[in-house]
PDB file of all heavy atoms in Angstrom:
ATOM      1  N   ARG T  18      10.892 -42.847 -12.290  1.00 98.00           N
ATOM      2  CA  ARG T  18      10.751 -44.292 -12.243  1.00 98.00           C
ATOM      3  C   ARG T  18      10.214 -44.705 -10.874  1.00 98.00           C
ATOM      4  O   ARG T  18      10.364 -43.984  -9.885  1.00 98.00           O
ATOM      5  CB  ARG T  18      12.079 -45.001 -12.521  1.00 98.00           C
ATOM      6  CG  ARG T  18      13.174 -44.748 -11.490  1.00 98.00           C
ATOM      7  CD  ARG T  18      14.493 -45.327 -11.978  1.00 98.00           C
ATOM      8  NE  ARG T  18      15.567 -45.140 -11.005  1.00 98.00           N
ATOM      9  CZ  ARG T  18      16.838 -45.426 -11.252  1.00 98.00           C
ATOM     10  NH1 ARG T  18      17.204 -45.914 -12.438  1.00 98.00           N
ATOM     11  NH2 ARG T  18      17.750 -45.248 -10.302  1.00 98.00           N
ATOM     12  N   ARG T  19       9.568 -45.865 -10.856  1.00 97.00           N
ATOM     13  CA  ARG T  19       9.018 -46.364  -9.614  1.00 97.00           C
ATOM     14  C   ARG T  19       9.224 -47.867  -9.522  1.00 97.00           C
ATOM     15  O   ARG T  19       8.965 -48.592 -10.489  1.00 97.00           O
ATOM     16  CB  ARG T  19       7.526 -46.044  -9.509  1.00 97.00           C
ATOM     17  CG  ARG T  19       6.909 -46.480  -8.192  1.00 97.00           C
ATOM     18  CD  ARG T  19       5.565 -45.864  -7.971  1.00 97.00           C
ATOM     19  NE  ARG T  19       4.598 -46.249  -8.992  1.00 97.00           N
ATOM     20  CZ  ARG T  19       3.404 -45.688  -9.122  1.00 97.00           C
ATOM     21  NH1 ARG T  19       3.022 -44.726  -8.307  1.00 97.00           N
ATOM     22  NH2 ARG T  19       2.590 -46.098 -10.062  1.00 97.00           N
ATOM     23  N   THR T  20       9.659 -48.285  -8.356  1.00 94.00           N
ATOM     24  CA  THR T  20       9.761 -49.701  -8.043  1.00 94.00           C
ATOM     25  C   THR T  20       8.693 -50.034  -7.008  1.00 94.00           C
ATOM     26  O   THR T  20       8.237 -49.147  -6.280  1.00 94.00           O
ATOM     27  CB  THR T  20      11.150 -50.057  -7.514  1.00 94.00           C
ATOM     28  OG1 THR T  20      11.453 -49.186  -6.400  1.00 94.00           O
ATOM     29  CG2 THR T  20      12.207 -49.869  -8.581  1.00 94.00           C
ATOM     30  N   PRO T  21       8.285 -51.299  -6.913  1.00 88.00           N
ATOM     31  CA  PRO T  21       7.215 -51.678  -5.977  1.00 88.00           C
ATOM     32  C   PRO T  21       7.511 -51.232  -4.553  1.00 88.00           C
ATOM     33  O   PRO T  21       8.618 -51.426  -4.044  1.00 88.00           O
ATOM     34  CB  PRO T  21       7.165 -53.200  -6.098  1.00 88.00           C
ATOM     35  CG  PRO T  21       7.653 -53.473  -7.478  1.00 88.00           C
ATOM     36  CD  PRO T  21       8.716 -52.452  -7.727  1.00 88.00           C
ATOM     37  N   GLY T  22       6.535 -50.616  -3.944  1.00 90.00           N
ATOM     38  CA  GLY T  22       6.667 -50.202  -2.560  1.00 90.00           C
ATOM     39  C   GLY T  22       7.387 -48.894  -2.344  1.00 90.00           C
ATOM     40  O   GLY T  22       7.568 -48.469  -1.204  1.00 90.00           O
ATOM     41  N   LYS T  23       7.792 -48.248  -3.440  1.00 93.00           N
ATOM     42  CA  LYS T  23       8.526 -46.989  -3.312  1.00 93.00           C
ATOM     43  C   LYS T  23       7.801 -45.865  -4.024  1.00 93.00           C
ATOM     44  O   LYS T  23       6.978 -46.093  -4.914  1.00 93.00           O
ATOM     45  CB  LYS T  23       9.941 -47.136  -3.857  1.00 93.00           C
ATOM     46  CG  LYS T  23      10.825 -48.067  -3.058  1.00 93.00           C
ATOM     47  CD  LYS T  23      12.257 -48.005  -3.562  1.00 93.00           C
ATOM     48  CE  LYS T  23      13.174 -48.876  -2.736  1.00 93.00           C
ATOM     49  NZ  LYS T  23      14.586 -48.807  -3.208  1.00 93.00           N
ATOM     50  N   GLU T  24       8.154 -44.647  -3.632  1.00 94.00           N
ATOM     51  CA  GLU T  24       7.604 -43.481  -4.311  1.00 94.00           C
ATOM     52  C   GLU T  24       8.251 -43.325  -5.688  1.00 94.00           C
ATOM     53  O   GLU T  24       9.337 -43.845  -5.951  1.00 94.00           O
ATOM     54  CB  GLU T  24       7.888 -42.229  -3.473  1.00 94.00           C
ATOM     55  CG  GLU T  24       7.220 -42.212  -2.119  1.00 94.00           C
ATOM     56  CD  GLU T  24       5.722 -42.070  -2.241  1.00 94.00           C
ATOM     57  OE1 GLU T  24       5.267 -41.349  -3.145  1.00 94.00           O
ATOM     58  OE2 GLU T  24       5.000 -42.684  -1.431  1.00 94.00           O
ATOM     59  N   ARG T  25       7.549 -42.586  -6.539  1.00 96.00           N
ATOM     60  CA  ARG T  25       8.106 -42.283  -7.847  1.00 96.00           C
ATOM     61  C   ARG T  25       9.372 -41.439  -7.662  1.00 96.00           C
ATOM     62  O   ARG T  25       9.376 -40.447  -6.930  1.00 96.00           O
ATOM     63  CB  ARG T  25       7.061 -41.550  -8.671  1.00 96.00           C
ATOM     64  CG  ARG T  25       7.226 -41.675 -10.153  1.00 96.00           C
ATOM     65  CD  ARG T  25       5.994 -41.191 -10.888  1.00 96.00           C
ATOM     66  NE  ARG T  25       4.857 -42.076 -10.718  1.00 96.00           N
ATOM     67  CZ  ARG T  25       3.765 -42.019 -11.475  1.00 96.00           C
ATOM     68  NH1 ARG T  25       3.665 -41.114 -12.429  1.00 96.00           N
ATOM     69  NH2 ARG T  25       2.769 -42.839 -11.255  1.00 96.00           N
ATOM     70  N   GLU T  26      10.450 -41.815  -8.366  1.00 97.00           N
ATOM     71  CA  GLU T  26      11.772 -41.235  -8.174  1.00 97.00           C
ATOM     72  C   GLU T  26      12.191 -40.463  -9.417  1.00 97.00           C
ATOM     73  O   GLU T  26      12.055 -40.957 -10.540  1.00 97.00           O
ATOM     74  CB  GLU T  26      12.768 -42.362  -7.911  1.00 97.00           C
ATOM     75  CG  GLU T  26      14.223 -41.948  -7.858  1.00 97.00           C
ATOM     76  CD  GLU T  26      15.165 -43.152  -7.865  1.00 97.00           C
ATOM     77  OE1 GLU T  26      14.809 -44.175  -8.475  1.00 97.00           O
ATOM     78  OE2 GLU T  26      16.246 -43.045  -7.279  1.00 97.00           O
ATOM     79  N   PHE T  27      12.726 -39.269  -9.197  1.00 98.00           N
ATOM     80  CA  PHE T  27      13.228 -38.455 -10.300  1.00 98.00           C
ATOM     81  C   PHE T  27      14.428 -39.119 -10.962  1.00 98.00           C
ATOM     82  O   PHE T  27      15.325 -39.640 -10.284  1.00 98.00           O
ATOM     83  CB  PHE T  27      13.614 -37.081  -9.780  1.00 98.00           C
ATOM     84  CG  PHE T  27      14.346 -36.233 -10.778  1.00 98.00           C
ATOM     85  CD1 PHE T  27      13.659 -35.644 -11.830  1.00 98.00           C
ATOM     86  CD2 PHE T  27      15.716 -36.029 -10.686  1.00 98.00           C
ATOM     87  CE1 PHE T  27      14.330 -34.852 -12.760  1.00 98.00           C
ATOM     88  CE2 PHE T  27      16.392 -35.258 -11.602  1.00 98.00           C
ATOM     89  CZ  PHE T  27      15.696 -34.672 -12.641  1.00 98.00           C
ATOM     90  N   VAL T  28      14.457 -39.070 -12.293  1.00 98.00           N
ATOM     91  CA  VAL T  28      15.585 -39.617 -13.048  1.00 98.00           C
ATOM     92  C   VAL T  28      16.305 -38.502 -13.813  1.00 98.00           C
ATOM     93  O   VAL T  28      17.515 -38.323 -13.665  1.00 98.00           O
ATOM     94  CB  VAL T  28      15.117 -40.717 -14.020  1.00 98.00           C
ATOM     95  CG1 VAL T  28      16.274 -41.190 -14.898  1.00 98.00           C
ATOM     96  CG2 VAL T  28      14.484 -41.877 -13.270  1.00 98.00           C
ATOM     97  N   ALA T  29      15.562 -37.770 -14.654  1.00 98.00           N
ATOM     98  CA  ALA T  29      16.183 -36.736 -15.483  1.00 98.00           C
ATOM     99  C   ALA T  29      15.114 -35.766 -15.963  1.00 98.00           C
ATOM    100  O   ALA T  29      13.936 -36.107 -16.022  1.00 98.00           O
ATOM    101  CB  ALA T  29      16.898 -37.357 -16.674  1.00 98.00           C
ATOM    102  N   ALA T  30      15.552 -34.557 -16.309  1.00 98.00           N
ATOM    103  CA  ALA T  30      14.642 -33.553 -16.850  1.00 98.00           C
ATOM    104  C   ALA T  30      15.379 -32.711 -17.880  1.00 98.00           C
ATOM    105  O   ALA T  30      16.608 -32.576 -17.829  1.00 98.00           O
ATOM    106  CB  ALA T  30      14.077 -32.675 -15.744  1.00 98.00           C
ATOM    107  N   ILE T  31      14.606 -32.140 -18.799  1.00 98.00           N
ATOM    108  CA  ILE T  31      15.181 -31.314 -19.855  1.00 98.00           C
ATOM    109  C   ILE T  31      14.260 -30.123 -20.075  1.00 98.00           C
ATOM    110  O   ILE T  31      13.028 -30.258 -20.020  1.00 98.00           O
ATOM    111  CB  ILE T  31      15.365 -32.153 -21.140  1.00 98.00           C
ATOM    112  CG1 ILE T  31      16.151 -31.388 -22.197  1.00 98.00           C
ATOM    113  CG2 ILE T  31      14.026 -32.642 -21.689  1.00 98.00           C
ATOM    114  CD1 ILE T  31      16.638 -32.277 -23.340  1.00 98.00           C
ATOM    115  N   ASN T  32      14.846 -28.961 -20.343  1.00 96.00           N
ATOM    116  CA  ASN T  32      13.998 -27.785 -20.496  1.00 96.00           C
ATOM    117  C   ASN T  32      13.398 -27.730 -21.890  1.00 96.00           C
ATOM    118  O   ASN T  32      13.634 -28.605 -22.731  1.00 96.00           O
ATOM    119  CB  ASN T  32      14.757 -26.515 -20.138  1.00 96.00           C
ATOM    120  CG  ASN T  32      15.720 -26.081 -21.226  1.00 96.00           C
ATOM    121  OD1 ASN T  32      16.180 -26.915 -22.007  1.00 96.00           O
ATOM    122  ND2 ASN T  32      16.005 -24.799 -21.289  1.00 96.00           N
ATOM    123  N   TRP T  33      12.653 -26.699 -22.168  1.00 95.00           N
ATOM    124  CA  TRP T  33      11.816 -26.657 -23.361  1.00 95.00           C
ATOM    125  C   TRP T  33      12.601 -26.759 -24.661  1.00 95.00           C
ATOM    126  O   TRP T  33      12.117 -27.318 -25.639  1.00 95.00           O
ATOM    127  CB  TRP T  33      10.967 -25.378 -23.355  1.00 95.00           C
ATOM    128  CG  TRP T  33      11.781 -24.128 -23.495  1.00 95.00           C
ATOM    129  CD1 TRP T  33      12.422 -23.448 -22.499  1.00 95.00           C
ATOM    130  CD2 TRP T  33      12.056 -23.422 -24.704  1.00 95.00           C
ATOM    131  NE1 TRP T  33      13.087 -22.369 -22.997  1.00 95.00           N
ATOM    132  CE2 TRP T  33      12.876 -22.325 -24.352  1.00 95.00           C
ATOM    133  CE3 TRP T  33      11.691 -23.600 -26.038  1.00 95.00           C
ATOM    134  CZ2 TRP T  33      13.330 -21.414 -25.286  1.00 95.00           C
ATOM    135  CZ3 TRP T  33      12.149 -22.696 -26.978  1.00 95.00           C
ATOM    136  CH2 TRP T  33      12.964 -21.615 -26.592  1.00 95.00           C
ATOM    137  N   ASN T  34      13.829 -26.244 -24.686  1.00 93.00           N
ATOM    138  CA  ASN T  34      14.584 -26.261 -25.941  1.00 93.00           C
ATOM    139  C   ASN T  34      15.784 -27.198 -25.897  1.00 93.00           C
ATOM    140  O   ASN T  34      16.613 -27.191 -26.815  1.00 93.00           O
ATOM    141  CB  ASN T  34      15.037 -24.850 -26.304  1.00 93.00           C
ATOM    142  CG  ASN T  34      16.074 -24.306 -25.334  1.00 93.00           C
ATOM    143  OD1 ASN T  34      16.416 -24.941 -24.336  1.00 93.00           O
ATOM    144  ND2 ASN T  34      16.574 -23.125 -25.622  1.00 93.00           N
ATOM    145  N   GLY T  35      15.878 -27.986 -24.849  1.00 92.00           N
ATOM    146  CA  GLY T  35      16.973 -28.943 -24.752  1.00 92.00           C
ATOM    147  C   GLY T  35      18.279 -28.353 -24.274  1.00 92.00           C
ATOM    148  O   GLY T  35      19.285 -29.062 -24.209  1.00 92.00           O
ATOM    149  N   GLY T  36      18.272 -27.094 -23.900  1.00 94.00           N
ATOM    150  CA  GLY T  36      19.511 -26.429 -23.532  1.00 94.00           C
ATOM    151  C   GLY T  36      19.949 -26.638 -22.099  1.00 94.00           C
ATOM    152  O   GLY T  36      21.064 -26.255 -21.735  1.00 94.00           O
ATOM    153  N   SER T  37      19.107 -27.224 -21.307  1.00 96.00           N
ATOM    154  CA  SER T  37      19.430 -27.442 -19.903  1.00 96.00           C
ATOM    155  C   SER T  37      18.878 -28.790 -19.465  1.00 96.00           C
ATOM    156  O   SER T  37      17.755 -29.154 -19.846  1.00 96.00           O
ATOM    157  CB  SER T  37      18.818 -26.334 -19.051  1.00 96.00           C
ATOM    158  OG  SER T  37      19.111 -26.523 -17.675  1.00 96.00           O
ATOM    159  N   THR T  38      19.658 -29.508 -18.674  1.00 97.00           N
ATOM    160  CA  THR T  38      19.230 -30.818 -18.190  1.00 97.00           C
ATOM    161  C   THR T  38      19.599 -30.992 -16.716  1.00 97.00           C
ATOM    162  O   THR T  38      20.543 -30.371 -16.219  1.00 97.00           O
ATOM    163  CB  THR T  38      19.886 -31.966 -18.983  1.00 97.00           C
ATOM    164  OG1 THR T  38      21.315 -31.817 -18.916  1.00 97.00           O
ATOM    165  CG2 THR T  38      19.446 -31.964 -20.441  1.00 97.00           C
ATOM    166  N   TYR T  39      18.826 -31.837 -16.044  1.00 97.00           N
ATOM    167  CA  TYR T  39      19.131 -32.259 -14.678  1.00 97.00           C
ATOM    168  C   TYR T  39      19.137 -33.785 -14.652  1.00 97.00           C
ATOM    169  O   TYR T  39      18.372 -34.418 -15.373  1.00 97.00           O
ATOM    170  CB  TYR T  39      18.059 -31.789 -13.696  1.00 97.00           C
ATOM    171  CG  TYR T  39      18.068 -30.328 -13.354  1.00 97.00           C
ATOM    172  CD1 TYR T  39      16.887 -29.693 -12.930  1.00 97.00           C
ATOM    173  CD2 TYR T  39      19.213 -29.556 -13.407  1.00 97.00           C
ATOM    174  CE1 TYR T  39      16.864 -28.367 -12.594  1.00 97.00           C
ATOM    175  CE2 TYR T  39      19.203 -28.215 -13.071  1.00 97.00           C
ATOM    176  CZ  TYR T  39      18.018 -27.621 -12.663  1.00 97.00           C
ATOM    177  OH  TYR T  39      17.996 -26.290 -12.328  1.00 97.00           O
ATOM    178  N   TYR T  40      19.957 -34.343 -13.775  1.00 98.00           N
ATOM    179  CA  TYR T  40      19.987 -35.791 -13.592  1.00 98.00           C
ATOM    180  C   TYR T  40      20.019 -36.129 -12.110  1.00 98.00           C
ATOM    181  O   TYR T  40      20.609 -35.403 -11.307  1.00 98.00           O
ATOM    182  CB  TYR T  40      21.222 -36.401 -14.251  1.00 98.00           C
ATOM    183  CG  TYR T  40      21.226 -36.298 -15.755  1.00 98.00           C
ATOM    184  CD1 TYR T  40      21.862 -35.257 -16.402  1.00 98.00           C
ATOM    185  CD2 TYR T  40      20.564 -37.258 -16.530  1.00 98.00           C
ATOM    186  CE1 TYR T  40      21.852 -35.150 -17.780  1.00 98.00           C
ATOM    187  CE2 TYR T  40      20.551 -37.160 -17.917  1.00 98.00           C
ATOM    188  CZ  TYR T  40      21.203 -36.103 -18.526  1.00 98.00           C
ATOM    189  OH  TYR T  40      21.181 -36.006 -19.888  1.00 98.00           O
ATOM    190  N   ALA T  41      19.430 -37.259 -11.780  1.00 98.00           N
ATOM    191  CA  ALA T  41      19.621 -37.805 -10.439  1.00 98.00           C
ATOM    192  C   ALA T  41      21.058 -38.293 -10.309  1.00 98.00           C
ATOM    193  O   ALA T  41      21.665 -38.750 -11.290  1.00 98.00           O
ATOM    194  CB  ALA T  41      18.649 -38.959 -10.206  1.00 98.00           C
ATOM    195  N   ASP T  42      21.583 -38.225  -9.109  1.00 97.00           N
ATOM    196  CA  ASP T  42      22.968 -38.665  -8.896  1.00 97.00           C
ATOM    197  C   ASP T  42      23.159 -40.125  -9.299  1.00 97.00           C
ATOM    198  O   ASP T  42      24.225 -40.508  -9.778  1.00 97.00           O
ATOM    199  CB  ASP T  42      23.349 -38.488  -7.422  1.00 97.00           C
ATOM    200  CG  ASP T  42      23.490 -37.033  -7.035  1.00 97.00           C
ATOM    201  OD1 ASP T  42      23.619 -36.170  -7.935  1.00 97.00           O
ATOM    202  OD2 ASP T  42      23.459 -36.749  -5.820  1.00 97.00           O
ATOM    203  N   SER T  43      22.133 -40.921  -9.116  1.00 97.00           N
ATOM    204  CA  SER T  43      22.243 -42.357  -9.376  1.00 97.00           C
ATOM    205  C   SER T  43      22.386 -42.701 -10.853  1.00 97.00           C
ATOM    206  O   SER T  43      22.796 -43.821 -11.184  1.00 97.00           O
ATOM    207  CB  SER T  43      21.021 -43.078  -8.803  1.00 97.00           C
ATOM    208  OG  SER T  43      19.833 -42.575  -9.385  1.00 97.00           O
ATOM    209  N   VAL T  44      22.046 -41.761 -11.735  1.00 98.00           N
ATOM    210  CA  VAL T  44      22.103 -42.065 -13.170  1.00 98.00           C
ATOM    211  C   VAL T  44      23.056 -41.141 -13.931  1.00 98.00           C
ATOM    212  O   VAL T  44      23.334 -41.385 -15.113  1.00 98.00           O
ATOM    213  CB  VAL T  44      20.701 -41.987 -13.816  1.00 98.00           C
ATOM    214  CG1 VAL T  44      19.717 -42.875 -13.065  1.00 98.00           C
ATOM    215  CG2 VAL T  44      20.186 -40.555 -13.911  1.00 98.00           C
ATOM    216  N   ARG T  45      23.554 -40.111 -13.271  1.00 98.00           N
ATOM    217  CA  ARG T  45      24.420 -39.153 -13.963  1.00 98.00           C
ATOM    218  C   ARG T  45      25.654 -39.864 -14.503  1.00 98.00           C
ATOM    219  O   ARG T  45      26.299 -40.650 -13.831  1.00 98.00           O
ATOM    220  CB  ARG T  45      24.836 -38.033 -13.014  1.00 98.00           C
ATOM    221  CG  ARG T  45      25.614 -36.913 -13.702  1.00 98.00           C
ATOM    222  CD  ARG T  45      25.920 -35.763 -12.760  1.00 98.00           C
ATOM    223  NE  ARG T  45      24.707 -35.065 -12.374  1.00 98.00           N
ATOM    224  CZ  ARG T  45      24.217 -35.085 -11.154  1.00 98.00           C
ATOM    225  NH1 ARG T  45      24.800 -35.786 -10.196  1.00 98.00           N
ATOM    226  NH2 ARG T  45      23.121 -34.411 -10.876  1.00 98.00           N
ATOM    227  N   GLY T  46      25.952 -39.580 -15.777  1.00 98.00           N
ATOM    228  CA  GLY T  46      27.082 -40.230 -16.426  1.00 98.00           C
ATOM    229  C   GLY T  46      26.718 -41.525 -17.136  1.00 98.00           C
ATOM    230  O   GLY T  46      27.515 -42.051 -17.923  1.00 98.00           O
ATOM    231  N   ARG T  47      25.520 -42.054 -16.869  1.00 98.00           N
ATOM    232  CA  ARG T  47      25.069 -43.288 -17.525  1.00 98.00           C
ATOM    233  C   ARG T  47      23.839 -43.053 -18.397  1.00 98.00           C
ATOM    234  O   ARG T  47      23.685 -43.716 -19.431  1.00 98.00           O
ATOM    235  CB  ARG T  47      24.735 -44.363 -16.484  1.00 98.00           C
ATOM    236  CG  ARG T  47      25.887 -44.752 -15.583  1.00 98.00           C
ATOM    237  CD  ARG T  47      25.514 -45.937 -14.693  1.00 98.00           C
ATOM    238  NE  ARG T  47      24.401 -45.665 -13.798  1.00 98.00           N
ATOM    239  CZ  ARG T  47      23.239 -46.333 -13.818  1.00 98.00           C
ATOM    240  NH1 ARG T  47      23.044 -47.314 -14.684  1.00 98.00           N
ATOM    241  NH2 ARG T  47      22.280 -46.023 -12.949  1.00 98.00           N
TER     242      ARG T  47
END
């Protein structure tokens, strides 16, 4: 995601088969 004046920020990622995920601390749990 990106807000005006800021760099693009990582939110979440998922691997090819859905078996592994990563989240940014700011969104984990939500």
Side-chain angles (χ1 to χ4, degrees):
R18 64 188 182 188
R19 183 166 62 190
T20 54
K23 293 188 177 181
E24 296 291 324
R25 205 167 290 194
E26 173 191 31
F27 171 75
V28 175
I31 188 166
N32 76 334
W33 67 276
N34 68 356
S37 180
T38 56
Y39 286 155
Y40 293 95
D42 290 343
S43 59
V44 306
R45 186 175 292 112
R47 300 187 299 119

